[in-house]
Amino acid sequence: MLGLSWAQLGSFVALCLVLAATPGANLTVVLGCARQGGQRAAVAATAGLTLGKVFWAAGSVLGLATLLATSRLAYDMLRLAGAAYLIWLGVQALRSARRRPAVRPPDGPVPELSALGGFRRGLIGDLLNPKVGIFYTTVFPQFIGPDDAVVPAAAVLLAAHTAVLMTWYPGMTYLLTRVGRRLARPGLSAVLDRVMGSVLIGLGIRLAVVPL
């Protein structure tokens, strides 16, 4: 299989599942998009962050992402940009909580975030996430053996990572949406937006203050 063994691919998929299930910036962004735009925005955000990983994987294969591991200045610039973006998303969520009406509209809540907006959030958030860069610089290459065809093998691993993300995140948001219909009540939605915004701001501050 293009030089990759089933053991290599299975180990990589297992790692991707663990990382996807671990709370972090990507999961918070996707859940935030689901809160503001529904399932379509969540799926679009997941597509955006998977596209971001395409760029990271290409950079890793070409040797460009190595800059993050060798240049402290480049890493710090990306880290601070990512922190600022997370804080901005958190502020937007807090502002959304203040704008929510006290009573649910007769026709139900209207999504505040479009699919395009969700896609953009996912893409930008992933490109400005230094942890993704470090993963594709240091961990990703470890699953490609010295005798493997690098580009085809990297494409297979990237496809596997994409499949995991496009299954896990939309599936999780769908289940949460189906189980938590009552969360659509404006009062509780405002509380959840405040929690989500606070988490995003906290992640941003942590990323800015505590390097990896």
Side-chain angles (χ1 to χ4, degrees):
M1 187 174 57
L2 302 176
L4 284 176
S5 67
W6 288 109
Q8 285 172 280
L9 184 59
S11 298
F12 182 75
V13 169
L15 176 60
C16 290
L17 282 170
V18 171
L19 293 177
T22 302
N26 279 345
L27 178 59
T28 305
V29 168
V30 172
L31 291 178
C33 290
R35 289 285 314 126
Q36 293 183 310
Q39 186 68 15
R40 288 184 62 187
V43 172
T46 306
L49 65 88
T50 55
L51 179 59
K53 287 171 175 54
V54 172
F55 287 107
W56 281 117
S60 178
V61 170
L62 296 174
L64 298 179
T66 307
L67 182 65
L68 286 176
T70 58
S71 173
R72 186 66 192 183
L73 176 61
Y75 169 77
D76 285 340
M77 290 178 63
L78 182 65
R79 177 171 60 85
L80 293 176
Y85 183 68
L86 288 177
I87 292 173
W88 179 81
L89 288 179
V91 171
Q92 294 298 108
L94 293 179
R95 292 179 61 189
S96 175
R98 294 183 60 184
R99 292 195 301 266
R100 286 190 183 278
V103 180
R104 174 190 281 184
D107 296 330
V110 178
E112 301 174 3
L113 183 68
S114 67
L116 180 60
F119 178 83
R120 185 166 53 244
R121 285 190 182 185
L123 175 60
I124 296 175
D126 199 75
L127 291 177
L128 294 180
N129 190 340
K131 290 186 178 181
V132 180
I134 295 299
F135 173 81
Y136 272 94
T137 301
T138 60
V139 179
F140 184 77
Q142 304 305 317
F143 290 88
I144 302 176
D147 298 326
D148 296 337
V150 176
V151 174
V156 171
L157 293 176
L158 179 61
H161 198 179
T162 298
V164 168
L165 295 177
M166 292 301 297
T167 302
W168 181 264
Y169 287 147
M172 178 181 294
T173 55
Y174 177 78
L175 288 175
L176 289 175
T177 301
R178 297 288 294 180
V179 171
R181 289 295 185 185
R182 292 184 179 180
L183 301 184
R185 290 181 296 181
L188 190 52
S189 293
V191 172
L192 292 176
D193 280 339
R194 292 190 187 98
V195 172
M196 194 70 67
S198 299
V199 170
L200 284 167
I201 292 174
L203 285 171
I205 293 174
R206 183 182 182 281
L207 183 60
V209 176
V210 184
L212 291 176

